Amino acid sequence: MVIPQASVGEVHHAIRTTFQRVNDFFIPPTNLIITHTFHRVKTISLKNYSCIPASMAYTHLSGFYFIQCQRKSLLHVPAQLLIDSVTDAVIGLNQNVTGQAYVSPDGRYIVTPDPWSSKLTVQTVSFKGELNLNQEIDEPINVSDLVFQPSFTESNQHVVVAASGSGSDLLFADLLSGRAEVLRSLKEPLSPQAWPWGGPNRVLVSSGLFGQYLVTPSVESLFVLNGKTRTPHCEVSDIKRANTVIWVGEV
């Protein structure tokens, strides 16, 4: 279902889509709602790649969509496809990259945690739109969720922060240098079985593009972290299963 003008205080109506299964939903930014009218343009078929899309990321620098395909079995490694948003053509496999792609706010870095090995694949997009493999960062954690923060030591650079879905560690990695640092002992996260609604079993939420704080839950508490010093700021106890977090900024 699509609910247009959901922010307007009047009677709402829903539009039924042609999709049989929906895995996620998207709320467009305010500027898109005001200046654009949404309508269906076309459908891009991924049938030739036997791909049922599980997630999608986009970078405006090259106009590439990064599509994570669902895995068919425990032995099947799902591919990651590239789509050109200008021509709507499926370019093909994104080298040997697998997993969900995350794009930095400036569109320059595409970071993909490999779900079957201990590495983060970091790709860069040049200002000419060329996609290149930048580096592979060893990650000693099983990534549940990942966010970007501004670098507090290098101008116009970003740090990637990843939360473990099976342990109490948090990974900070500088995208420019590849240096990684692990913050330990944030208590155990919810088990995947305790969070059956899908998505990460340990979310990680940033305080904004220029903010230095992060929030991540454990089984019965919530941690506020200082991304600048890479240390815990405080722990809020007696909050159980707090795996849905919304950071409310200034109004």
Side-chain angles (χ1 to χ4, degrees):
M1 297 288 193
V2 177
I3 302 176
Q5 298 180 337
S7 61
V8 179
E10 57 186 43
V11 178
H12 297 114
H13 67 281
I15 301 172
R16 185 176 297 275
T17 70
T18 58
F19 300 111
Q20 295 181 354
R21 293 183 298 175
V22 176
N23 187 60
D24 203 352
F25 63 90
F26 170 69
I27 301 176
T30 304
N31 62 326
L32 287 180
I33 297 174
I34 294 175
T35 60
H36 292 73
T37 299
F38 288 93
H39 60 278
R40 179 180 173 183
V41 177
K42 67 186 299 184
T43 299
I44 301 174
S45 175
L46 306 179
K47 183 178 180 180
N48 290 341
Y49 294 89
S50 302
C51 176
I52 299 175
S55 70
M56 181 176 72
Y58 173 76
T59 172
H60 64 277
L61 289 185
S62 61
F64 287 150
Y65 291 108
F66 299 82
I67 309 295
Q68 176 197 14
C69 303
Q70 295 182 19
R71 65 180 183 181
K72 299 178 181 179
S73 68
L74 294 176
L75 299 177
H76 177 73
V77 179
Q80 192 182 98
L81 294 180
L82 283 177
I83 294 179
D84 186 343
S85 64
V86 177
T87 62
D88 295 330
V90 181
I91 299 173
L93 299 178
N94 182 14
Q95 301 180 36
N96 61 345
V97 179
T98 61
Q100 180 177 352
Y102 298 82
V103 178
S104 62
D106 59 4
R108 292 174 56 195
Y109 294 95
I110 297 90
V111 180
T112 304
D114 192 316
W116 284 274
S117 68
S118 58
K119 68 177 181 180
L120 290 174
T121 300
V122 181
Q123 295 173 284
T124 57
V125 180
S126 69
F127 289 105
K128 294 182 180 180
E130 299 170 335
L131 181 65
N132 299 295
L133 177 63
N134 180 266
Q135 58 185 311
E136 292 182 347
I137 301 174
D138 290 330
E139 39 129 337
I141 65 173
N142 177 25
V143 174
S144 171
D145 201 7
L146 184 152
V147 297
F148 295 91
Q149 278 201 308
S151 173
F152 298 104
T153 58
E154 301 285 346
S155 61
N156 300 320
Q157 293 296 327
H158 286 87
V159 174
V160 64
V161 189
S164 172
S166 58
S168 60
D169 297 340
L170 201 74
L171 176 74
F172 292 85
D174 292 285
L175 292 178
L176 180 63
S177 65
R179 291 192 302 268
E181 179 181 341
V182 178
L183 175 62
R184 305 187 185 280
S185 303
L186 292 179
K187 295 186 177 179
E188 295 298 318
L190 287 169
S191 66
Q193 294 76 20
W195 192 255
W197 298 279
N201 61 303
R202 182 170 206 164
V203 296
L204 185 62
V205 181
S206 172
S207 58
L209 181 59
F210 303 105
Q212 69 183 67
Y213 293 100
L214 304 132
V215 173
T216 189
S218 61
V219 176
E220 295 186 351
S221 64
L222 196 70
F223 285 93
V224 180
L225 311 167
N226 188 329
K228 186 174 183 179
T229 60
R230 302 184 180 182
T231 57
H233 180 70
C234 66
E235 180 184 2
V236 184
S237 303
D238 299 325
I239 300 181
K240 298 181 180 181
R241 297 161 64 93
N243 205 40
T244 301
V245 180
I246 299 176
W247 194 288
V248 181
E250 296 182 1
V251 179

